Amino acid sequence: MKLNFDKFIKPNQTVAVALSGGCDSMALLHYMLFCQKKFPFNVIALNVEHGIRGEKSIFDTEFVKSYCAKNNIPLVCYSVDSLKHAKEKKLSVEQSARELRYKCFYDAIESGKCDLVATAHHQSDNVETILFNLFRGTGLNGVCGIPEILNGKIIRPLLNVSKEKIERYIKENSIPFVTDETNLSNDYTRNSIRHKIVPEIVKLFPEAENCISRFSEIAKVENDYLENVTKTVLNATESTVEIKLPCEKAILSRAVISALKTLGVEKDWEKTYADSTKVLAEGKNGASVDLKGGIRVIKEYDKLVFYKENELENKELPFDIGSFSLAKKEISIAKVNKPENLFDGFYADLNKIPKTAVIRTKRNGDVFTKFGGGTKKLSDYLTDKKIPLRTRSQIPVLADGNDVLAIFGVAISEKIRVDENTETIIEIK
C-alpha cells in the first residue's frame, strides 16, 4: 500500500486510529506506525466496545489492549451500550453503534487525546455505501459515497484502497487480527449487499468496484458545484431560512433539504416535501404548506420562507407609559418633547388614547385608520405594507376593542396623530 498523508495530516498532529482489532483497522494502524518514521505525526489507537456481542466483543477489546501494550502503542478505550441506545432512540443497532462510536471519536478529539481520528473505511465500504444509498432512492449527494475527510476531524486514508490489497498487506506483514462474526452475517442490510449483491455484480463486471469509485469521484465534483450554486439562493437568519425565487428545480430541491437541516431536521427528508415546495414556488403569494418537525414554508413575493411555528401569545397588557415584553418583542411607550420632525419616528397624542386601550397582538376583525384618513381591515393594511403573513400574529398593537390605534414599528393611526392642539406627545417603539 502507498498512501499520501499530506492531504490529511498536518505536522506534529496526533492521529488516533479507530481500532476494532479487525483486518482493516489493524492494517491501517500497522501502516501508519510505519509511516510515522517518515512523516512528522504521532499515532495512537482508539477502541470502542459497542456492547453488542457480549463476551466476543469484550474479547476483541482485550485483543486490542494486548496488542497495543505489547507494541507500546498508546490506547484510548471507550465502552458504550448500543442496544440500550437503539431502543431509547428507536434506531437500528447499526445506526445506534455508529452514532455512539462517532460520539466517542469526537470526545477523544475535544478532550485533547488526539487531533484526528482515522477510520479504516476502504474502497469496498465506499461501494457498499453508494449502492445502499442508491437502493434507498438517494439524490446525487448520496452517490458521492463516504467522504475522505469528515468535518476536518475524521479521516479515511484507505478509502481508495481495495479490500484485496488490505488483505495482502496483512498477510505479507503477518499482522494478527480478530474477526467480527457479525460482518459475515447477512442479518444486516450492508452485509447482504457485501456478501450477496456485490459478488454477483463483480462476476458480470470485474472492474465494477473501480468503476463505481470513479463514478463517485465525478459525482463529488458535480455535487460540490451544485451545492455552491445552492448557497447563492439561501439566506438564513436566527429563526428562518429563505430561498430566493425563481431558481432551477434541481437547486430548489437542494435548497429545501438545506433549509430543513438548518431548522433541525437531520434525516428522513421525503421527496414529497420537495415536490410540495416546488408547487408552492409556482403558487400565489401567501400560500403555505406544513412540513416535518413543525416547520411551515410560505411564499412571500419573490422568496420561500421556512420557519418553525410558535405558539401564539395571547397576553393582553393595559396601556401605560413604560417598557414591556410581548410576543417575544421588547416594546416601549415614553413621553417626549415635540421632535423637530414628526416623521422620524412613531409619535402619538397621549390624550387621544382611550383609557380602555390595551396592548396585544393582532385579532380577527381588527381595523386600522390610516394616517391621513381611510379605514381598512388590519390584515389588508399589513398586506399593503408587505408585512409577511407569518409575522403578523406576533406584531404588538395598541387597540381599543377592534380599533387598532398603533402598530408597533409600522404605523400610527390617524385617530391618535399629533396635531397643533397636542399637549402631551408619546413615542411608541
Side-chain angles (χ1 to χ4, degrees), residues 311-323:
E311 290 186 10
L312 298 182
E313 188 176 12
N314 278 324
K315 188 164 65 171
E316 185 178 282
L317 304 172
F319 171 75
D320 201 355
I321 303 298
S323 297

Side-chain angles (χ1 to χ4, degrees), residues 92-106:
S92 69
V93 175
E94 287 177 286
Q95 289 174 314
S96 173
R98 185 185 188 282
E99 192 173 284
L100 292 177
R101 181 165 63 252
Y102 277 79
K103 185 176 181 180
C104 294
F105 292 170
Y106 286 112

Side-chain angles (χ1 to χ4, degrees), residues 131 135 196-206 208-209 212:
L131 294 176
F135 297 152
K196 292 182 178 181
I197 298 175
V198 172
E200 292 300 316
I201 293 174
V202 172
K203 283 181 185 178
L204 295 172
F205 305 99
E209 290 201 351
I212 292 173

